[in-house]
């Protein structure tokens, strides 16, 4: 027997009943309440396994006489113990699929990453870069940045062998990475306009900062055709289609052993990796000044996190294809969606969500800490003067945003006063 659970982030809706079976609307969730071994807490089991592992290392394993090896091993063991504690004891976030423990794990990884960044921030520039050798001996060596500019002819008549060689040269691993990245970002933000604004704004940032990082120097068609229209645009389009499907799919959850057919069981396993329920994000930036400023802040932090990807590998001397760069992107893929949901809940219902969510708080702290590392490790690059023409464009944009904010606030205030003046007086009851 199915029972309905209404998502608190959705408006009140009544279930539709067809043929004696309850069908859910966009925001209705039906769960038969099955609590299998997969969903039960295993705190004692994890503690027992962890204790056995520590007893084995202490009593049965001989400690090597290698200080560097023991230091690395001790740090890794400390992190693993903290992860075991967090996965079993940390507070759950807004996501429960595929399993709450999965999101608790990434919350603990977020804490570990922020502590690592704080450690790097407190080192000297030389020591911080050389410390990266403990992670990978190939690091700690200055690397030249690749220039993506140069010959920007889409069709090069001088090259008779392959006149389109400039286009093929740009078809590297970053092309599918751009598409996949913006597909996932769309699933996080859940708004077409915000995604397009961030996509276009980042291209303007690349134009503005190419004098600092040669990596930002790209051809015009690489910026606007390959990035914005093809990779980013196609990723956003596919992401919006996925969001539309998620908003329409039925959210009916049954225990795996309660499903009679094998096809139904396979489908249930696949759906375990989809959301438990669905909340449509309605940012409404123009509704109030507070929401407008909050949306501007979200866009700013998104762009800062994007810039940190390039500046961090530049100041820490990490090649773009290094696995640490990829791991950082995988990390943000897993924590970004939770952070955006917590930010939206905090903005949309501050009476119920009285404080910013834990994952959103940590992601904001990480973004700021990464930027501070960039500023400390290479202030000369950051302080390179921006060309005057670029400064004029950014100044004009900031003035326009500030002017619109003041005008919109004034208009809303005036409309509120006029409405209150035109409202009919309330009749007082006659007594006696």
């Amino acid at each position: 027997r199915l029972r309905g659970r209404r998502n608190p982030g959705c408006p009140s809706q009544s279930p539709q009943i067809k043929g004696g079976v309850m069908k859910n609307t966009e925001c209705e969730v039906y769960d038969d309440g099955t609590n299998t071994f997969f969903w039960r807490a295993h705190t004692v089991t994890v503690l027992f396994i962890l204790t056995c592992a520590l007893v084995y290392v202490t009593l049965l394993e001989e400690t090597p006489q290698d200080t560097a090896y023991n230091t690395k091993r001790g740090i890794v063991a400390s992190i693993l113990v903290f992860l075991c504690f967090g996965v079993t004891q940390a507070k759950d976030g807004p996501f429960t699929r595929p399993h709450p423990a999965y999101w608790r794990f990434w919350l603990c990884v977020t804490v570990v990453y922020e502590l690592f960044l704080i450690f790097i921030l407190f080192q000297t520039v030389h020591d911080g870069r050389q410390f990266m050798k403990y992670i990978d001996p190939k690091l700690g060596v200055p690397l030249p940045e690749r220039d993506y500019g140069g010959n920007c002819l889409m069709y090069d008549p001088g090259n008779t062998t392959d006149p389109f060689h400039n286009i093929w040269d740009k078809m590297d691993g970053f092309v599918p990475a751009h598409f996949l990245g913006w597909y996932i970002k769309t699933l996080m933000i859940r708004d077409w306009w915000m995604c397009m604004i961030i996509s276009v704004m980042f291209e303007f940032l690349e134009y503005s900062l190419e004098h600092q990082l040669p990596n930002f120097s790209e051809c015009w068609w690489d910026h606007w055709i390959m990035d914005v229209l093809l990779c980013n645009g196609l990723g956003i389009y596919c992401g919006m289609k996925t969001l539309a499907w998620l908003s329409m799919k039925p959210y009916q959850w049954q225990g795996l052993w309660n499903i009679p057919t094998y096809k139904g069981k396979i489908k249930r396993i696949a759906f375990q990796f989809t959301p438990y329920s669905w909340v449509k994000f309605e940012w409404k930036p123009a509704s109030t000044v507070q929401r407008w400023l909050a949306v501007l802040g979200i866009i700013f932090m998104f762009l800062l996190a994007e810039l940190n990807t390039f500046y961090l590998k530049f100041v820490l001397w990490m090649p773009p294809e290094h696995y640490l760069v990829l791991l950082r992107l995988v990390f943000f893929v897993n924590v970004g969606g939770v952070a955006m949901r917590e930010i939206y809940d905090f903005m949309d219902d501050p009476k119920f969500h009285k404080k910013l969510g834990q994952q959103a708080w940590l992601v904001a702290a990480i973004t700021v800490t990464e930027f501070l590392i960039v500023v400390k490790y290479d202030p000369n690059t950051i302080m390179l003067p921006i060309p005057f023409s670029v400064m004029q464009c950014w100044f004009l944009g900031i003035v326009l945003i500030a002017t619109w904010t003041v005008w919109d606030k004034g208009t809303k205030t005036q409309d509120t006063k006029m409405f209150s003046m035109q409202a009919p007086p309330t009749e007082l009851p006659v007594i006696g």
Side-chain angles (χ1 to χ4, degrees), residues 38-39 95-104 106 253 268-276 334:
F38 181 71
W39 290 105
F95 293 172
T96 59
R97 292 293 191 265
H99 196 282
Y102 177 82
W103 303 108
R104 292 196 294 266
W106 282 107
W253 303 107
R268 175 63 181 83
I269 293 173
F271 278 178
Q272 184 66 26
F273 296 91
T274 63
Y276 176 78
N334 284 276

Side-chain angles (χ1 to χ4, degrees), residues 124-194:
T124 64
V125 176
H126 177 267
D127 290 345
R129 287 169 173 166
Q130 296 306 311
F131 176 79
M132 301 301 292
K133 285 188 173 182
Y134 288 99
I135 302 175
D136 186 349
K138 297 179 182 178
L139 297 177
V141 180
L143 299 172
E145 279 286 320
R146 177 183 173 185
D147 187 358
Y148 281 81
N151 187 358
C152 288
L153 293 175
M154 297 181 68
Y155 180 84
D156 188 1
N159 191 322
T160 57
T161 305
D162 187 4
F164 295 99
H165 66 95
N166 286 328
I167 296 179
W168 308 132
D169 290 343
K170 304 298 186 294
M171 295 292 183
D172 51 16
F174 291 99
V175 172
H178 269 279
F179 167 79
L180 184 61
W182 272 104
Y183 174 78
I184 296 174
K185 291 171 191 173
T186 306
L187 299 183
M188 295 179 187
I189 301 173
R190 306 184 191 181
D191 186 85
W192 185 85
W193 279 106
M194 281 185 65

Side-chain angles (χ1 to χ4, degrees), residues 255-271:
L256 187 64
W257 306 115
N258 296 335
I259 301 174
T261 63
Y262 287 108
K263 182 179 179 180
K265 293 180 187 294
I266 294 174
K267 186 177 180 181
R268 175 63 181 83
I269 293 173
F271 278 178

